[in-house]
Amino acid sequence: MIEAPAKPHDRPDRRVQIGLFVLLSLIAVAAIAIRVRLLNMPLERDEGEYAYGGQMILHGVPPYTGFYTMKWPGTHLVYALFMSLFGETAAAIHLGLIVVNVATAILVFFVARTVLGFVGSMVAAAAYTLFSINPMIMGLQAHATHFVILPALAAILLLRHSAGSHSGLRIFSAGLLFGLAGIMKQSGAIFGLFAVSWMIWQECAAPKRNLRSLFSRLAFLILGGLLPVAVLFLVIARIGAFSQFWFWTFEYARQYASENTPISGLEFLLEKMDKLFRAVPILWAAAAIGMGLLCSKESLARARPFVLGFALFSFLAVCPAWIFRPHYFLLFIPAAGLLAGVAAEYLHDRIAEKQGRRTAGSLILLLLLLTFSWILYQWRAVYFQLSPRQISHGLYYPSPFPEMVDVAEYLKAHCPPNGRIAVLGSEPQIYFYSGRKAVTGYLYMYPLMERQPYATMMQQQLIREIEASPPDYVVFVHCADSWLGKWDSPALFDEWFQPYKHNKLQLVAWIDLQSRGKAEYHWSDSDESKLPENGVWLGIFKKK
């Protein structure tokens, strides 16, 4: 049920309304224009995995058979949808992200509208849009977290409108959407837990409790949430990949999540929060002010439970495995937008009481315009000046993501369309760019290097798969970020690869990444003695 507060200043002066609408439209157009300019930004590793996985799905190769992943396949399917509509290119993927981002901003507005007035809702949508294009949280890349937010917000909006004779159907539909959010990325299931908690809190806070109604609504919600998961399990079992699916998404994922402790995670969080705050300090400050106001001002009491609860569970969605990678914070920015909207709404109402609605609305409009202008100025190099390759080097150096495009072009020119390749490094985007299938399901080398009990078994399996189907070409990525090897990582692969390379492979080309954005290309150099012992380089080897 909606608890939108009844306030005398719910709508600002009409001219201010038009000004807010025009400014929000300008923010949306600017965000779209920035994303369009960067459509051809080189894919990073996660995007590479989803792109190759989506490509394989389109070619009839299901997940957990032709490629291994600890993630549920929702985002791979979304990528497959984008590519079926727009083509198998990086630009097509980023074009699909634009559609998702715009739809999410619209949902942020309507969710905010259930607890805030017009001003706060407009500011919430604007804040979300500006947060979402920030490079420091990888908002310009098509991470799975973008695709979690969209169904989760749609589900929350349905719940906020679930009063009435059709509430059972709406709650069941909301559950379906929460289930889809979890399939996009497992941490998305936390938003379903928020919905359960919110329903229980509503019933406990009601003057008259109706436990029978509560259990009925919870049943509709949970059944709806479990349906997509049950369908996923049945489909995976039908294609004969359930054992692989269970191993990667439950057994290995559990080991992966246990590598970090809450203490080490807290240290990492504090480091990330400092960088994230400096990236867009005005927006984060507005969100912090909004949280403080919610906790202290009785005039915001009706919005307090929902907004604070949503913020809490959004933060919990960032926390699994205690790793706090930048793009995980994309799950929190809708809540941050709502909190910024709370701050704007409160400021508007207090000024409107003393100076009138037009003055109050004009001030909010001016503050939002200044924030928008400052963010564009702060990130002008990324948004307007640097090329996509330069931005990729700036954000990810020393990882040679732009050079992966060049390696893939070489493979497309020299490896037959039905040829098979192996990328020894965590760079699945090479498979996608080149349009060549992998001889192994291991798209990442990280699991082979981790301190987990399956590492040696995984190295053995990788070796068996390569030897069972010798690749036409092998790309070796000499980059620490592509392996993350540790001093106690199993040495089996290293001991195997050197003689295998000597007996089975011949160097045909290599790229030496000497510094940020500066690379030397050796397209016809077969002298292995020239390969650097240190630094970042990519070697292309052909089967003898």
Side-chain angles (χ1 to χ4, degrees):
M1 180 178 292
I2 300 175
E3 294 94 8
K7 301 181 301 184
H9 308 296
D10 182 62
R11 283 195 177 269
D13 178 79
R14 182 163 182 79
R15 278 180 283 189
V16 174
Q17 290 183 48
I18 295 172
L20 284 171
F21 180 79
V22 170
L23 182 53
L24 179 57
S25 300
L26 285 175
I27 292 172
V29 169
I32 292 170
I34 289 165
R35 291 186 184 277
V36 168
R37 192 181 84 84
L38 302 177
L39 281 178
N40 289 307
M41 178 108 83
L43 301 179
E44 50 90 79
R45 292 185 181 98
D46 279 9
E47 288 181 300
E49 178 204 331
Y50 298 130
Y52 179 66
Q55 191 178 60
M56 289 298 95
I57 290 171
L58 290 177
H59 295 176
V61 180
Y64 315 105
T65 57
F67 62 95
Y68 311 140
T69 176
M70 69 174 176
K71 301 152 189 169
W72 284 9
T75 301
H76 302 88
L77 291 167
V78 170
Y79 269 55
L81 174 63
F82 292 162
M83 289 186 283
S84 67
L85 294 174
F86 308 124
E88 295 182 21
T89 65
I93 292 164
H94 295 146
L95 181 60
L97 176 61
I98 292 175
V99 176
V100 169
N101 186 247
V102 171
T104 304
I106 293 171
L107 285 175
V108 169
F109 171 82
F110 283 109
V111 170
R113 199 68 185 89
T114 66
V115 287
L116 299 174
F118 183 81
V119 170
S121 301
M122 294 292 277
V123 170
Y128 167 78
T129 302
L130 293 172
F131 269 125
S132 72
I133 57 172
N134 187 259
M136 292 305 293
I137 56 173
M138 302 182 183
L140 298 172
Q141 283 74 39
H143 281 282
T145 38
H146 283 289
F147 311 120
V148 169
I149 295 170
L150 182 63
L153 285 175
I156 289 169
L157 186 61
L158 275 177
L159 286 183
R160 300 290 291 169
H161 290 279
S162 61
S165 59
H166 301 293
S167 62
L169 178 59
R170 287 189 177 185
I171 292 171
F172 181 79
S173 300
L176 284 174
L177 290 166
F178 283 125
L180 290 176
I183 289 175
M184 296 298 156
K185 190 177 179 71
Q186 287 95 313
S187 56
I190 291 176
F191 291 103
L193 296 178
F194 163 67
V196 170
S197 303
W198 172 248
M199 279 188 174
I200 294 172
W201 184 92
Q202 276 188 310
E203 195 62 42
C204 292
K208 293 182 179 180
R209 297 175 186 173
N210 186 338
L211 293 183
R212 182 176 179 180
S213 173
L214 172 63
F215 292 146
S216 173
R217 286 181 284 129
L218 286 176
F220 278 115
L221 182 72
I222 293 170
L223 286 173
L226 291 178
L227 181 58
V229 178
V231 171
L232 170 66
F233 278 39
L234 288 173
V235 171
I236 294 294
R238 180 67 180 255
I239 63 178
F242 193 81
S243 61
Q244 285 281 65
F245 165 75
W246 187 265
F247 170 77
W248 281 99
T249 63
F250 286 91
E251 296 180 17
Y252 166 68
R254 183 171 61 249
Q255 295 296 330
Y256 175 81
S258 65
E259 273 206 352
N260 294 281
T261 65
I263 298 300
S264 63
L266 181 61
E267 295 174 355
F268 193 43
L269 173 62
L270 293 175
E271 176 189 342
K272 288 294 179 187
M273 286 179 67
D274 177 61
K275 293 180 179 178
L276 291 175
F277 180 81
R278 286 188 282 110
V280 277
I282 300 175
L283 290 180
W284 286 118
I289 292 169
M291 182 172 290
L293 290 171
L294 275 175
C295 295
S296 60
K297 300 298 181 181
E298 283 306 309
S299 61
L300 297 171
R302 298 187 70 180
R304 183 184 301 154
F306 173 77
V307 178
L308 288 183
F310 180 52
L312 172 62
F313 279 86
S314 297
F315 178 73
L316 292 177
V318 178
C319 294
W322 303 101
I323 295 177
F324 300 107
R325 303 197 192 283
H327 58 90
Y328 292 3
F329 288 89
L330 288 167
L331 296 172
F332 185 75
I333 61 172
L338 284 179
L339 291 169
V342 167
E345 186 85 1
Y346 182 83
L347 178 62
H348 173 268
D349 289 353
R350 297 292 78 77
I351 295 175
E353 290 173 356
K354 298 178 180 180
Q355 303 295 329
R357 292 187 303 165
R358 181 174 300 178
T359 301
S362 298
L363 178 60
I364 297 299
L365 188 60
L366 177 61
L367 290 174
L368 184 57
L369 177 62
L370 291 174
T371 300
F372 174 44
S373 303
W374 172 251
I375 289 172
L376 291 185
Y377 177 78
Q378 182 183 11
W379 291 99
R380 62 192 180 280
V382 172
Y383 294 158
F384 308 117
Q385 298 170 3
L386 299 176
S387 69
R389 289 177 71 102
Q390 289 172 323
I391 295 169
S392 182
H393 276 305
L395 292 176
Y396 296 108
Y397 181 81
S399 294
F401 296 150
E403 287 70 28
M404 304 296 176
V405 180
D406 305 322
V407 169
E409 288 299 320
Y410 180 94
L411 293 172
K412 287 175 72 173
H414 293 83
C415 182
N418 61 347
R420 305 286 291 276
I421 65 175
V423 178
L424 301 181
S426 303
E427 311 298 345
Q429 61 272 34
I430 294 177
Y431 296 119
F432 169 70
Y433 287 136
S434 66
R436 304 301 185 264
K437 290 184 180 180
V439 299
T440 174
Y442 284 92
L443 304 184
Y444 297 109
M445 300 297 107
Y446 299 143
L448 286 64
M449 303 289 118
E450 292 165 351
R451 296 187 181 98
Q452 46 95 1
Y454 304 114
T456 299
M457 178 271 289
M458 289 177 173
Q459 291 197 13
Q460 292 170 339
Q461 184 180 8
L462 172 66
I463 292 169
R464 286 197 305 270
E465 290 178 353
I466 292 176
E467 290 184 337
S469 181
D472 297 283
Y473 283 85
V474 171
V475 179
F476 186 85
V477 183
H478 192 274
C479 175
D481 286 357
S482 198
W483 292 82
L484 297 184
K486 302 172 178 61
W487 67 270
D488 56 348
S489 296
L492 178 64
F493 175 81
D494 289 335
E495 295 170 354
W496 166 83
F497 182 63
Q498 292 307 318
Y500 180 85
K501 180 179 67 171
H502 177 76
N503 296 324
K504 304 290 186 180
L505 303 175
Q506 177 184 357
L507 181 70
V508 291
W510 57 286
I511 301 173
D512 182 13
L513 189 67
Q514 298 179 334
S515 63
R516 192 188 302 268
K518 182 181 179 182
E520 280 191 359
Y521 292 81
H522 306 265
W523 290 125
S524 301
D525 193 340
S526 60
D527 187 355
E528 285 193 45
S529 65
K530 294 181 181 178
L531 293 175
E533 292 185 7
N534 300 308
V536 178
W537 53 268
L538 306 168
I540 304 175
F541 296 84
K542 183 179 180 180
K543 180 171 64 175
K544 287 183 179 178

